Amino acid sequence: TLVFVHLRDAYGSLQLLAEHSRMPQFAEHKRVLEQLNPDTLVDVSGTIVRRPENMTNDAEKTGQIELLVDRIKVLNHAEPLPFSPYIKSKLVSC
């Protein structure tokens, strides 16, 4: 079983990969990963590895690598916002 998550910080984003075989408490970590929203603050540890050649993303600065997750801990869960500041939209003036 695999879970993919995109982690973003002040420098950009990084793909996280959680694999059942690497995490003794995978079910618990999977539950945490599936409940994350964009503004939740997390502490993640793992190993940075090069992505397989056919799975790289040249559009991203970090598209050549990913983090194999060993552990994840939620430091502060953020409630979903009523709108997304990450989606560009046109403002309409009245």
Side-chain angles (χ1 to χ4, degrees), residues 46-66:
T47 305
I48 297 286
V49 297
R50 183 170 293 281
R51 287 187 188 180
E53 290 230 6
N54 61 338
M55 300 179 104
T56 61
N57 182 355
D58 294 330
E60 297 282 333
K61 289 190 286 187
T62 58
Q64 304 294 318
I65 60 173
E66 61 192 5

Side-chain angles (χ1 to χ4, degrees), residues 2 15 23 29 37 40 45 53 59 70 73 75-76 84 92:
L2 302 172
Q15 179 171 286
M23 303 173 81
H29 289 293
N37 66 48
T40 296
S45 65
E53 290 230 6
D70 291 328
K73 178 181 177 185
L75 300 177
N76 186 32
S84 175
V92 178

Side-chain angles (χ1 to χ4, degrees), residues 7-14 60-62:
L7 177 72
R8 70 172 167 79
D9 65 10
Y11 302 102
S13 67
L14 177 66
E60 297 282 333
K61 289 190 286 187
T62 58

Side-chain angles (χ1 to χ4, degrees), residues 17-85:
L17 172 58
E19 293 181 290
H20 184 268
S21 62
R22 291 183 56 90
M23 303 173 81
Q25 299 161 335
F26 181 78
E28 180 182 333
H29 289 293
K30 181 178 184 244
R31 183 185 52 78
V32 169
L33 289 165
E34 291 175 339
Q35 293 178 358
L36 295 178
N37 66 48
D39 295 306
T40 296
L41 181 61
V42 295
D43 177 20
V44 183
S45 65
T47 305
I48 297 286
V49 297
R50 183 170 293 281
R51 287 187 188 180
E53 290 230 6
N54 61 338
M55 300 179 104
T56 61
N57 182 355
D58 294 330
E60 297 282 333
K61 289 190 286 187
T62 58
Q64 304 294 318
I65 60 173
E66 61 192 5
L67 177 69
L68 296 179
V69 177
D70 291 328
R71 181 191 56 79
I72 185 164
K73 178 181 177 185
V74 173
L75 300 177
N76 186 32
H77 180 76
E79 294 300 322
L81 297 173
F83 60 90
S84 175

